[in-house]
Amino acid sequence: MAANTNVMEETYKRVKSILISQPKPERSPYYELEKKYDLQIDWRPFIHVEGVEVKEFRKQRVRPDEFTAVIFTAKNAVDHFFRICEDMRITMPQDTKYFCLTEAIANYLQKFIIYRKRKVSVGKRHIQDLSNALKKNKDEKFLLPCSNLGAKGVSSYLTEMELNWQDAMMYKTVSSDLSDLSDVTYDILVFFSPLGITSLYENFPEFMQKDTRLAVFGSSTTKAVEEHGLNVNIRVQPPEVPSMTKALEIYLKQSNPDIS
């Protein structure tokens, strides 16, 4: 990673390479930017998910089959919940109820259970979407599988509703090993979460910005960047700039005008 004691002021210096701190997708509008502006766009997840080992999980003194309902906030939660059950040789009762924050999570759940609408409640995006379903099942004992980051918004809401619930850490979000990038430089680094910035500094404690431009998504990511004394050069600002690809293209029209 490039290092220097000076952080560049906002300019539109020509862009030749971009590193996006996420896994490479099969299809993406970024590929159109790559061709249009003659760029090299690389993909590298700065963070990844690891499952909690059963030995570590047992220390929480939680048995999934002692709960009558499970709340899933992500596909990772589904994966690691049933992995833990399998490793502990636990079969969840057929009448267990499941509450999924989104339809995508509910559809994913079908890989693991016999899907019946009467035992699966689905929200649109937020835990509040499940309010009526949770009230109708307020006598259930709820388990909330989560990561080491927890699920603060969901936890607060369940407590506010005075439900009988408990969370259980079943997986962790951790920094990836980026040591092979130590001598590699990019014109733009793209970040989508504060954890990406954490990973950057865990891998490269001496990182300083130099001419590298930073593109960020979200206020919490912006805050993490600024707390390290770095400049945000490109940012997503809904509704005018609704996506990272849009934010990058606006910048690239200035930095690479002869191509656009």
Side-chain angles (χ1 to χ4, degrees):
M1 288 291 177
N4 196 300
T5 55
N6 298 317
V7 176
M8 68 170 276
E9 296 297 321
E10 179 63 51
T11 69
Y12 290 101
K13 186 176 179 180
R14 188 177 186 83
V15 175
K16 297 180 180 179
S17 61
I18 298 175
L19 178 62
I20 299 175
S21 58
Q22 289 186 331
K24 185 175 182 178
E26 291 185 11
R27 298 179 182 178
S28 172
Y30 289 100
Y31 298 147
E32 296 177 14
L33 288 182
E34 190 172 28
K35 293 179 180 179
K36 183 176 181 179
Y37 292 95
D38 190 25
L39 305 169
Q40 173 191 339
I41 296 183
D42 291 337
W43 302 77
R44 183 66 178 273
F46 276 40
I47 58 177
H48 65 277
V49 170
E50 294 180 352
V52 171
E53 296 296 331
V54 170
K55 182 178 180 180
E56 182 180 354
F57 178 77
R58 290 184 188 278
K59 295 178 182 179
Q60 300 179 62
R61 297 183 179 179
V62 173
R63 277 192 62 90
D65 55 349
E66 292 180 352
F67 294 81
T68 59
V70 185
I71 300 172
F72 289 124
T73 60
K75 291 180 181 179
N76 277 325
V78 178
D79 277 332
H80 291 286
F81 173 81
F82 287 101
R83 175 187 59 82
I84 289 288
C85 287
E86 182 177 357
D87 291 347
M88 294 180 69
R89 298 181 180 179
I90 288 173
T91 300
M92 294 300 293
Q94 290 293 319
D95 58 353
T96 302
K97 296 180 179 179
Y98 299 95
F99 297 79
C100 302
L101 256 59
T102 68
E103 186 175 352
I105 297 170
N107 290 337
Y108 190 70
L109 180 60
Q110 295 183 61
K111 292 176 58 177
F112 302 91
I113 68 168
I114 298 174
Y115 195 96
R116 297 189 182 93
K117 288 187 178 180
R118 66 176 180 274
K119 72 173 185 178
V120 179
S121 300
V122 184
K124 294 181 179 179
R125 184 177 179 185
H126 303 290
I127 185 64
Q128 289 81 357
D129 299 330
L130 292 166
S131 176
N132 290 336
L134 291 171
K135 288 178 181 177
K136 290 178 181 178
N137 293 277
K138 62 181 181 180
D139 294 329
E140 304 291 343
K141 185 178 181 182
F142 293 88
L143 178 64
L144 175 64
C146 62
S147 74
N148 55 320
L149 304 177
K152 294 181 181 179
V154 175
S155 299
S156 297
Y157 190 71
L158 298 178
T159 299
E160 180 183 322
M161 292 192 69
E162 299 182 346
L163 299 176
N164 180 11
W165 72 279
Q166 181 176 348
D167 59 7
M169 186 177 72
M170 296 186 174
Y171 58 104
K172 301 177 182 179
T173 301
V174 298
S175 297
S176 300
D177 180 2
L178 307 174
S179 56
D180 58 304
L181 297 178
S182 58
D183 296 322
V184 180
T185 60
Y186 288 91
D187 296 321
I188 297 177
L189 300 179
V190 182
F191 293 98
F192 296 88
S193 77
L195 293 175
I197 304 301
T198 298
S199 177
L200 174 67
Y201 277 93
E202 286 186 359
N203 280 277
F204 310 105
E206 304 302 321
F207 175 83
M208 285 172 279
Q209 193 166 0
K210 194 183 176 181
D211 286 343
T212 302
R213 280 141 285 179
L214 301 183
V216 304
F217 182 95
S219 58
S220 59
T221 311
T222 297
K223 181 180 179 182
V225 169
E226 293 175 343
E227 285 177 347
H228 282 91
L230 306 176
N231 282 345
V232 175
N233 307 94
I234 304 163
R235 69 182 77 209
V236 178
Q237 295 179 302
E240 295 83 4
V241 186
S243 67
M244 182 58 74
T245 49
K246 181 65 175 178
L248 287 170
E249 181 155 31
I250 291 171
Y251 189 91
L252 290 166
K253 284 180 179 179
Q254 300 293 325
S255 64
N256 299 22
D258 54 317
I259 295 177
S260 61

